[in-house]
Amino acid sequence: MQNYTYQDWKSRAEQLSFRGQAFIDGKFVNAVSGKSYDSINPATGEVITTVAECDAEDVDLAVAAGRRAFEKGVWSRMAPGDRKAVLLKLADLIRAHLEEMALLDSLDMGKLVTDAVTVDAPGSAHFFQWYAEAIDKIYDEVAPTGPGDLALVKRVPLGVVGAVTPWNFPLDMATWKAAAALAAGNSVVLKPAEQSPLSALRLAELAAEAGVPDGVFNVVPGFGGTAGKALGLHMDVDCLAFTGSTAIGKMFMQYSGQSNLKQIWPETGGKSPNLIFADCEDLDTAADMAAFGIFFNQGEVCSANSRMYVERSIKDEFVEKMIARASATQPGDPLDPASKMGAIVDEKQTRGIMRFIEEGKKTANLVAGGERVTVDGKGCFIQPTIFDDVAHNDPLARDEIFGPVLSMIAFDSEDEVVAMANDSIYGLAASVWTDNLSRACRVSDRLNVGTVSVNTVDALSVQTPFGGMKQSGFGRDLSLHALDKYTALKTTWIKYKA
Ligand code: NAD
Ligand code: MN
């Protein structure tokens, strides 16, 4: 890939065209109501394009298209090797449009285009490729019933999978759901976050170009309380994979109970602790990674390491290291490769983060950042912010802020820090920094979270399951385990004369 300059990205952005209509049954269409809304670039406040504002009627059309395709078998009963070839082609097409996909997410929700083009967009291609490759390598079971009985236990696709996704990694969150659900043979109806629908719409178009049949992959942009709710309550959706806030995850559980008992797979919020023990030898690497863990993607990461516990003997030294890294991570134009942090997704989120910061100034010790700023006089930007001496029960240490705000807390013993780390409604991820192997294993065992990263932060790959415990939800994305969500076990029992 080329090394793009700021000017390159700006001129590419100007030449970009946008798909704003819904993608239903293989075609771009307006919302039935004719309504649309503006998709805003948070770095400038400018309108990027208008987007179809789908509602229950559009969701009905998309689900019906998904069901028709599923029943016809054009995808669900396609030979595994053929389905694999289509999704491999999609991975190739994403790679061929890497810069475009990266720009769509960067313009739509403010992330650094450099990150989008090196992390998000290649990640999406890789995930599609990985699940494609798995399609013709997974075998079903024959039960040990004995002579005269042949009991086949097969994994079968569910039918129509609904997916409702957030705005922090728009393309990748759409991919985490769609790649696994499509690989398993389902039809998909995706409702992307209203703040960032553009990459998902382009993805659907690329999927069609790759050979995904009409109706198999539909995208219905719109708002949560209308389009998202309609998908959650739909009587003909078999499974709903959700990533977003804990509050909305709980609503989806209710939607299921109020409708057809569809499976709900919530992947929700987090407040991930980062534990730094004094016996960690390389404190500079720990600080570098800790800064990445909270400032990457403007801190808009469900598994962001937003509360940091540092052993008291090294705490003051470590706070200084973090302050230095915060001051080196100032926000700038997301299209400028020199920028270290991008824009917050929208005005509402920016104001919400600033409320936490303003309250925090009264209860804790602000040591870095703390201000909303503009870039070229515009946009939603917040300085990387650090609070020290945060009380364990302070909202700064307890609530998911979903912004570039780090809370630092001193600890004196292993038992104390494990207890504080676990005292949270969330349980998505945690990090542990120590050079004592027994401590690393012991503490990892005791942390009630889906992923513990030892001597790193946010360890993640398609080979390992990603998801949480407690109110971080119980869905698992990535790895072959994600296929469990999108398949049912089916027994076919054959009697024969032995
Ligand atoms: P959100 O819950 O507000 O929205 C997520 C999605 O749900 C959007 O598509 C939205 O339109 C839809 N939605 C909103 N209200 C709805 C309703 N009443 N009915 C149906 N659908 C509705 O979350 P967000 O602000 O977009 O994203 C941030 C949240 O996502 C954070 O809490 C973050 O931790 C979480 N997240 C979790 C993971 C994970 O894997 N655990 C990954 C990324 C983000
Ligand atoms: Mn936007």
Side-chain angles (χ1 to χ4, degrees):
M1 200 187 58
Q2 276 175 263
N3 247 338
Y4 286 102
T5 65
Y6 190 16
Q7 202 46 55
D8 292 335
W9 283 119
K10 282 205 281 199
S11 51
R12 268 190 161 254
E14 274 157 25
Q15 289 155 22
L16 216 54
S17 60
F18 305 98
R19 278 73 174 160
Q21 290 174 295
F23 193 79
I24 298 174
D25 207 8
K27 285 178 288 297
F28 281 112
V29 292
N30 292 327
V32 173
S33 67
K35 282 205 258 178
S36 63
Y37 70 98
D38 291 336
S39 189
I40 309 282
N41 177 349
T44 61
E46 285 156 18
V47 175
I48 305 170
T49 188
T50 60
V51 175
E53 188 183 329
C54 293
D55 202 337
E57 285 173 289
D58 311 281
V59 169
D60 281 345
L61 292 175
V63 173
R67 178 65 58 192
R68 273 196 309 276
F70 187 78
E71 295 303 332
K72 265 194 273 171
V74 284
W75 183 251
S76 53
R77 292 195 298 275
M78 187 186 265
D82 295 344
R83 207 156 67 214
K84 173 176 83 168
V86 171
L87 292 186
L88 285 176
K89 177 137 188 244
L90 175 54
D92 284 342
L93 283 172
I94 295 166
R95 289 195 186 99
H97 296 85
L98 222 50
E99 292 84 359
E100 180 187 358
M101 300 309 269
L103 269 172
L104 290 176
D105 275 357
S106 176
L107 295 174
D108 227 0
M109 55 64 70
K111 72 170 63 214
L112 296 178
V113 74
T114 306
D115 288 343
V117 83
T118 53
V119 181
D120 302 57
S124 171
H126 182 60
F127 300 141
F128 271 107
Q129 173 162 352
W130 197 86
Y131 282 106
E133 287 168 347
I135 291 173
D136 61 357
K137 294 172 190 65
I138 298 173
Y139 292 73
D140 289 325
E141 297 170 1
V142 177
T145 46
D149 294 295
L150 175 61
L152 307 171
V153 182
K154 294 195 210 174
R155 289 213 158 267
V156 296
L158 297 172
V160 180
V161 170
V164 175
T165 52
W167 44 260
N168 58 341
F169 294 90
L171 177 62
D172 281 5
M173 291 300 106
T175 299
W176 285 17
K177 310 300 185 197
L182 291 173
N186 297 284
S187 298
V188 172
V189 178
L190 167 69
K191 208 266 331 145
E194 52 271 31
Q195 295 91 337
S196 56
L198 299 177
S199 59
L201 290 165
R202 184 71 175 113
L203 177 66
E205 191 180 25
L206 293 179
E209 190 181 331
V212 173
D214 291 353
V216 171
F217 185 27
N218 309 277
V219 180
V220 285
F223 293 91
T226 48
K229 183 176 177 180
L231 203 50
L233 284 171
H234 206 285
M235 292 302 289
D236 202 30
V237 169
D238 300 283
C239 163
L240 194 300
F242 171 74
T243 294
S245 60
T246 294
I248 306 299
K250 290 178 181 179
M251 293 182 73
F252 274 99
M253 301 291 285
Q254 294 182 342
Y255 296 154
S256 172
Q258 288 161 13
S259 57
N260 63 341
L261 213 62
K262 63 177 67 62
Q263 295 185 41
I264 302 290
W265 295 106
E267 297 206 41
T268 53
K271 186 75 183 178
S272 297
N274 190 356
L275 282 54
I276 321 279
F277 287 92
D279 58 16
C280 165
E281 273 166 30
D282 188 356
L283 289 181
D284 283 314
T285 298
D288 287 343
M289 296 302 288
F292 173 82
I294 184 61
F295 301 137
F296 175 66
N297 209 49
Q298 304 74 242
E300 296 164 324
V301 179
C302 51
S303 51
N305 291 248
S306 52
R307 45 188 181 125
M308 177 187 280
Y309 298 90
V310 188
E311 197 161 349
R312 198 173 303 276
S313 60
I314 57 164
K315 210 266 288 178
D316 289 345
E317 175 194 353
F318 208 82
V319 170
E320 290 307 317
K321 288 184 192 298
M322 293 307 297
I323 292 171
R325 280 150 184 87
S327 65
T329 317
Q330 295 304 317
D333 186 336
L335 297 186
D336 184 351
S339 298
K340 301 297 180 203
M341 208 167 69
I344 304 298
V345 64
D346 62 9
E347 269 298 326
K348 182 164 168 258
Q349 180 73 5
T350 307
R351 279 193 239 112
I353 297 168
M354 287 310 299
R355 268 198 298 280
F356 275 106
I357 292 177
E358 293 309 329
E359 285 304 304
K361 288 175 182 172
K362 299 174 199 160
T363 57
N365 186 9
L366 177 72
V367 295
E371 301 296 329
R372 178 175 179 167
V373 292
T374 57
V375 170
D376 298 329
K378 293 178 284 201
C380 300
F381 296 90
I382 294 179
Q383 293 173 333
T385 297
I386 302 178
F387 287 98
D388 190 14
D389 304 318
V390 178
H392 174 63
N393 60 355
D394 192 289
L396 287 177
R398 195 187 57 207
D399 296 347
E400 180 176 53
I401 299 173
F402 223 57
V405 183
L406 176 66
S407 299
M408 299 189 65
I409 297 173
F411 71 86
D412 294 297
S413 74
E414 202 179 292
D415 282 344
E416 180 198 16
V417 74
V418 168
M420 284 196 289
N422 280 336
D423 182 23
S424 170
I425 63 164
Y426 298 114
L428 189 53
S431 285
V432 179
W433 293 82
T434 173
D435 277 279
N436 177 327
L437 178 65
S438 293
R439 166 172 280 157
C441 295
R442 192 165 62 230
V443 171
S444 300
D445 285 349
R446 294 177 67 189
L447 291 170
N448 298 327
V449 299
T451 300
V452 182
S453 301
V454 177
N455 293 340
T456 185
V457 296
D458 247 333
L460 181 149
S461 97
V462 70
Q463 290 112 323
T464 53
F466 180 91
M469 297 186 183
K470 298 192 269 183
Q471 291 188 45
S472 292
F474 47 81
R476 288 291 181 277
D477 277 319
L478 307 182
S479 82
L480 293 180
H481 295 288
L483 297 171
D484 293 347
K485 298 193 293 194
Y486 304 120
T487 50
L489 288 175
K490 177 171 179 179
T491 300
T492 307
W493 194 307
I494 301 163
K495 205 86 186 146
Y496 65 95
K497 295 190 174 66

